[in-house]
């Protein structure tokens, strides 16, 4: 099977692309290169890639692929807030453009990397399955809702879109992100002794390891068409939705000498959702998640110690997406639409 993975140089893609290659798939990546050289420890995986902005893709780029896995995006809330128009242009309109190009090129399956953040500001008393109402609270989350709505009418006998609504991801990747809650709290604990919470820790958040996300996509790629056709799946694991304060306590327990600190005057984060993962566990053959947050905290602790992570690293442009993009904007390598200004600046 020949598969195109967009965003293969990002946090999830840098784990997914080599995993799929090792599973025997013929993998090609496509990425604009926003995070080139922002490596965590390991060497680049040698996956062949197309250096292209999503907004410029044509059907000819997608000829000969059996499936497109669409990860590339402005991929968290702070980044999405930088320039909401641009977030909608890349995350919404370019995702639909990509899907139309894929359909025109005869690609059969389109796996869309959505997010549990579509549920947004939910009641802490409800555990949300795939039929729950959307309540996005940021342009990033809103863009995910819009893509799901506009992909559905493209579904037909020849084109099978699938919506994988990932929980918040954690764990080691060659493109590590220090802005994801578990990765961030372990980093703070290790480098400062504080497990530092900017909100009061009360909201619920489902969490999933990056390798289990990749396994969910692999299962969706291989599943019989009738199981996944035009279907949403929450991607995570039963028992792995926590209040942020519980995650902080797990981290403090693991990292000797660290303690939980809550920022002065911190209130609750409006993003709060408890999620039900029974559908993916029951219906998607081959999806068998193996990680827990506790194991992930230990994995990160060991990896951070191995590379000698510092607080400056954690707050710098190598691992913080917003810092990286701001740096490229300040250097005038990216314009306000997050396009590389000069072809020579596009790595
Ligand atoms: N990481 C999470 O916790 C999480 C949770 C839910 C959903 N998701 C979704 O999964 C996908 C991957 O997330 P990630 O954490 O790996 O993101 P990431 O930011 O680490 O990687 C995104 C990649 O997309 C590329 N990209 C961005 N804009 C592009 C454009 N215009 N053209 C081509 N390439 C472009 C970037 O260069 C980068 O390599 C995203 O769609 C994200 O919204 C992630």
């Amino acid at each position: 099977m020949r598969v195109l993975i967009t965003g293969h140089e990002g946090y999830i893609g840098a784990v997914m692309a080599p995993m799929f290659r090792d599973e025997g798939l013929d993998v090609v990546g496509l990425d604009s290169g926003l995070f080139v050289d922002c490596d965590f420890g390991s060497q680049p995986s040698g996956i062949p890639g197309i250096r292209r902005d999503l907004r410029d893709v044509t059907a000819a780029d997608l000829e000969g692929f059996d499936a497109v896995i669409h990860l590339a995006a402005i991929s968290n809330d702070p980044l999405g807030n930088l320039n909401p128009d641009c977030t909608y242009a890349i995350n919404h309109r370019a995702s639909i453009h990509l899907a139309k190009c894929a359909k025109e090129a005869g690609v059969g399956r389109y796996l869309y990397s959505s997010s549990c953040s579509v549920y947004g500001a939910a009641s802490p008393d409800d555990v949300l399955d795939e039929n729950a109402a959307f309540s996005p609270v940021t342009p990033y989350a809103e863009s995910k809702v819009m893509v799901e709505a506009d992909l559905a009418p493209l579904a037909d006998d020849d084109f099978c879109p699938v919506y994988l609504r990932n929980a918040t991801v954690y764990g080691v990747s060659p493109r590590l992100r220090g802005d994801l809650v578990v990765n961030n709290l372990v980093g703070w604990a290790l480098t400062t002794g504080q497990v530092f919470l900017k909100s009061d820790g009360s909201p619920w958040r489902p969490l999933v390891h990056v390798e289990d996300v990749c396994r969910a996509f692999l299962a969706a790629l291989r599943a019989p068409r009738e199981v996944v056709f035009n279907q949403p799946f929450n991607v995570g694991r039963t028992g792995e939705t926590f209040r942020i304060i519980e995650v902080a306590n797990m981290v403090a327990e693991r990292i000797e000498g660290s303690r939980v600190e809550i920022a002065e005057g911190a209130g609750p984060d409006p993003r709060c959702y408890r999620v039900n993962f029974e559908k993916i566990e029951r219906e998607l053959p081959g999806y068998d998640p193996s990680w827990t947050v506790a194991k992930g905290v230990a994995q990160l602790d060991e990896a951070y110690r191995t590379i000698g992570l510092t607080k400056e690293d954690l707050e710098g442009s190598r691992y913080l997406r917003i810092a990286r993009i701001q740096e490229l904007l300040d250097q005038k390598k990216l314009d306000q639409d997050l396009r590389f200004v000069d072809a020579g600046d596009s790595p």
Side-chain angles (χ1 to χ4, degrees):
M1 195 190 283
R2 188 163 163 78
V3 177
L4 183 84
I5 303 180
T6 73
H8 74 297
E9 296 179 349
Y11 175 63
I12 298 173
V15 175
M16 184 182 288
M19 180 193 280
F20 284 16
R21 179 194 52 199
D22 295 348
E23 286 283 332
L25 303 178
D26 181 2
V27 178
V28 176
L30 183 146
D31 202 295
S32 63
L34 294 175
F35 301 102
V36 163
D37 295 334
C38 298
D39 299 328
F40 179 79
S42 57
Q43 297 300 309
S45 59
I47 297 290
I50 304 169
R51 178 66 71 227
R52 183 79 38 92
D53 193 294
L54 275 181
R55 292 166 283 189
D56 303 330
V57 166
T58 65
D61 293 320
L62 306 179
E63 294 285 345
F65 288 100
D66 300 296
V68 167
I69 299 178
H70 180 35
L71 304 176
I74 299 306
S75 51
N76 66 14
D77 292 326
L79 268 188
N81 292 340
L82 256 187
N83 177 348
D85 285 348
C86 178
T87 301
Y88 293 120
I90 295 175
N91 289 13
H92 173 224
R93 293 195 292 280
S95 296
I96 301 304
H97 168 70
L98 180 77
K100 288 180 175 166
C101 289
K103 194 169 166 163
E104 189 184 329
V107 175
R109 199 164 287 194
Y110 188 88
L111 305 187
Y112 176 58
S113 192
S114 188
S115 167
C116 285
S117 66
V118 294
Y119 303 122
S123 161
D125 299 329
D126 296 335
V127 182
L128 309 165
D129 69 14
E130 287 78 356
N131 298 316
F134 294 144
S135 181
V137 291
T138 61
Y140 165 76
E142 180 71 38
S143 72
K144 297 284 174 193
V145 171
M146 293 162 87
V147 175
E148 289 200 23
D150 288 349
L151 278 178
L154 300 179
D156 64 16
D157 287 350
D158 300 317
F159 189 70
C160 172
V162 188
Y163 320 104
L164 293 143
R165 296 179 188 156
N166 306 314
T168 299
V169 188
Y170 62 86
V172 171
S173 159
R175 285 280 156 83
L176 191 96
R177 303 300 181 216
D179 46 30
L180 294 166
V181 64
V182 180
N183 299 1
N184 180 272
L185 294 180
V186 176
W188 269 88
L190 203 58
T191 60
T192 69
Q194 291 183 338
V195 187
F196 187 69
L197 296 185
K198 291 180 192 132
S199 73
D200 69 3
S202 63
W204 290 91
R205 195 60 57 77
L207 296 161
V208 64
H209 193 276
V210 62
E211 290 173 15
D212 285 337
V213 171
C214 297
R215 292 198 185 100
F217 277 76
L218 188 61
L221 200 59
R222 288 174 166 164
R225 189 174 194 278
E226 61 277 13
V227 172
V228 294
F229 178 71
N230 206 19
Q231 285 294 311
F233 292 92
N234 294 333
V235 177
R237 190 175 185 187
T238 300
E240 290 290 302
T241 298
F242 298 96
R243 286 186 188 275
I244 298 298
I245 189 72
E246 294 177 296
V247 179
N249 288 334
M250 267 188 251
V251 173
E253 210 166 286
R254 163 80 195 192
I255 314 278
E256 213 173 303
S258 69
R259 62 179 195 289
V260 177
E261 296 275 341
I262 296 180
E264 213 169 301
D269 184 332
R271 299 166 303 174
C272 174
Y273 36 95
R274 296 172 75 181
V275 177
N276 177 310
F277 296 103
E278 287 171 14
K279 179 177 175 182
I280 192 168
E281 290 172 336
R282 192 180 56 238
E283 293 181 15
L284 195 60
Y287 177 62
D288 186 18
S290 64
W291 285 87
T292 59
V293 171
K295 270 173 68 182
V297 166
Q299 182 205 33
L300 288 159
D301 178 20
E302 279 169 29
Y304 287 170
R305 285 178 200 271
T306 302
I307 67 141
L309 186 85
T310 64
K311 180 165 177 283
E312 290 67 40
D313 291 337
L314 204 56
E315 294 182 328
S317 58
R318 180 179 287 262
Y319 306 131
L320 261 196
R321 283 175 278 208
I322 188 98
R324 165 70 173 181
I325 298 299
Q326 199 57 60
E327 181 179 80
L328 292 171
L329 287 167
D330 292 346
Q331 292 168 343
K332 308 231 180 304
K333 290 187 172 170
L334 281 183
D335 67 18
Q336 290 307 312
D337 294 329
L338 304 187
R339 280 183 181 279
F340 282 96
V341 169
D342 198 321
D345 287 333
S346 170

